[in-house]
Amino acid sequence: MIINISILGSTGSIGKSLINILKFKKKEIKINLLTCHQNYNELFRQAKIFNVKNLIITDSKIFSFIKSKKKYSKYNIQNNFDNLKKIFKKKNDYVMSSISGLDGLLPTFNIIKHTKKIAIANKETIICAWNLIDIELKKNKTQFVPVDSEHFSAYFAINKNHISEIKNIILTASGGPFLNRPLDKFNTIDLQETLNHPNWSMGKKISVDSATMMNKVFEIIEAKKIFNLPYNKLSILIQPDSYIHALVNFNNGLTKVIIHKTDMKIPIINTIFSNDTLLQKKIIKNYDLDLKKINNPKFQVIDSFRYPLVNIIKLLPNKCSLFETIIVVSNDELVRLFLNDQISFKDIEILLLKIVKSKQFAKYKKKSVNKIDDILILNKYIKDYINSKLFK
Ligand code: NDP
Ligand code: MG
């Protein structure tokens, strides 16, 4: 049977990993839709390999340029996600949601009704809009599977157990590039050092978030939403080589620990082909257990002096609220300013804590997320606020 697949953000790191996996399964799949923002060269390369007709290019200038070229006229190319109904004659079997940032929110929400299963990598969607996503999943009987390695590991460990059987979940963090940096040398951190992640090869934004530990704060929020657990049942433990991804403690005294090589292909493969002998032979066979790493996990408790942003976890409301959007957007904007060399590494931490602790924004903890637009309007407001008020 042919598996119908679509990939939102197919030209990114997660999207390309999935594409590389699918190359082994070409005869058994059909790709209905691929999307990018600007990287049309990669998009057309992928479209050619898999004979994909429907493409979305969200950058308007690039879209107009492509539309003016005759050689691309055989493709059905759109500039946005408004016409999904026309693209999909029947439901996809599987969609990967791997657009980066809040721009992935609306496409992810809109595609749920067009798929039987959705794997969501886009953190922002889960963090800011989980209550709406969850309703849409249930309404359309769409199965959800997490992609982030820690969450996929916990999901795999929990399997058919009921949430009430879980005592707590521990997500591991590598500690990033500054795990051993003397605390008095944090003021001199530069961009290059920040992007130099010891274990994972990732985009710039998520690399900065790993260095500040904000990525793990986001992952705690993601876990809270996905597994429907209170924050006091979720915690972080440093495991420097990122070999162990999650530990799930059950009330019966047993703990499941999920270990795998630091390669996103493992969770990605398992979100779609969990027992595939071909992929096991072609890709997974290279992932033998590394005894040196298991014998020496070097777990460490997280130090909030080194990673002050973990204090944000204490401020989080247990109910889904617009406060999560404030955190995501503020961090996004501050990381962008850091990447543009407009603020220092330390400023990200100082300014983010200032924003999330301010009375002005605390009221959003009580504001529920009623529609996607609530998030998108707040997104614009916070960005304007940071760029106008905070710097003038
Ligand atoms: P990348 O930046 O590598 O790729 C992002 C993808 O989204 C690209 O296809 C990009 O297109 C597209 N895109 C970017 N901006 C827009 C926009 N405004 N509108 C529509 N599409 C857009 O990201 P990653 O693959 O690293 O991550 C994707 C998501 O998965 C993120 O939310 C990340 O936090 C999460 N994640 C990533 C992990 C990783 O290891 N990489 C691990 C766990 C989660 P183009 O190429 O044209 O720019
Ligand atoms: Mg992760």
Side-chain angles (χ1 to χ4, degrees), residues 123 148-150 219:
K123 289 176 199 263
D148 215 340
S149 64
E150 298 77 1
E219 291 185 355

Side-chain angles (χ1 to χ4, degrees), residues 130-193:
W130 180 254
N131 60 325
L132 304 179
I133 295 288
D134 196 32
I135 293 170
E136 195 65 8
L137 290 169
K138 288 186 176 121
K139 199 167 101 190
N140 294 285
K141 298 192 175 62
T142 305
Q143 190 198 342
F144 160 78
V145 54
V147 177
D148 215 340
S149 64
E150 298 77 1
H151 305 78
F152 184 81
S153 294
Y155 169 87
F156 184 78
I158 295 166
N159 192 10
K160 292 195 168 59
N161 286 104
H162 194 264
I163 291 299
S164 62
E165 297 171 66
I166 299 168
K167 191 173 173 198
N168 55 48
I169 298 179
I170 301 168
L171 306 180
T172 56
S174 68
F178 307 131
L179 176 62
N180 298 312
R181 189 182 183 97
L183 287 179
D184 60 0
K185 298 231 157 47
F186 268 62
N187 282 324
T188 58
I189 287 173
D190 70 20
L191 179 60
Q192 218 38 53
E193 294 172 289

Side-chain angles (χ1 to χ4, degrees), residues 31 84 131 135 192 243 269 343:
I31 301 188
L84 292 180
N131 60 325
I135 293 170
Q192 218 38 53
Y243 203 53
I269 288 177
I343 61 171

Side-chain angles (χ1 to χ4, degrees), residues 11 35-44 55-73 75 77-80:
T11 53
T35 86
C36 79
H37 187 52
Q38 294 182 318
N39 191 355
Y40 64 90
N41 284 324
E42 176 64 23
L43 190 74
F44 286 111
L55 304 173
I56 294 178
I57 299 174
T58 42
D59 184 282
S60 297
K61 276 196 192 133
I62 304 236
F63 171 75
S64 305
F65 166 75
I66 294 293
K67 285 301 258 186
S68 70
K69 299 274 173 210
K70 217 173 155 209
K71 69 170 175 170
Y72 298 124
S73 59
Y75 295 101
I77 307 169
Q78 311 274 323
N79 187 213
N80 55 47

Side-chain angles (χ1 to χ4, degrees), residues 177-178 191 194-197 202-215 309 331 334-336 338-339 345 348:
F178 307 131
L191 179 60
T194 310
L195 298 181
N196 196 11
H197 196 279
M202 304 181 291
K204 285 184 184 176
K205 155 75 171 54
I206 193 168
S207 297
V208 177
D209 288 345
S210 294
T212 60
M213 201 51 76
M214 200 53 205
N215 186 46
L309 293 183
N331 179 67
L334 293 169
V335 170
R336 190 185 66 77
F338 170 67
L339 291 172
F345 181 85
I348 304 177

Side-chain angles (χ1 to χ4, degrees), residues 293-346:
K293 288 186 177 170
I294 311 185
N295 280 339
N296 204 359
K298 296 188 189 136
F299 285 121
Q300 293 174 38
V301 172
I302 197 123
D303 170 3
S304 61
F305 287 105
R306 181 169 295 278
Y307 304 108
L309 293 183
V310 296
N311 289 316
I312 291 177
I313 297 170
K314 292 183 216 143
L315 305 173
L316 294 164
N318 258 314
K319 262 183 91 177
C320 285
S321 79
L322 283 170
F323 190 62
E324 289 88 303
T325 300
I326 307 253
I327 300 172
V328 165
V329 179
S330 306
N331 179 67
D332 229 45
E333 205 48 23
L334 293 169
V335 170
R336 190 185 66 77
L337 291 166
F338 170 67
L339 291 172
N340 284 347
D341 205 19
Q342 286 172 273
I343 61 171
S344 70
F345 181 85
K346 220 46 209 153

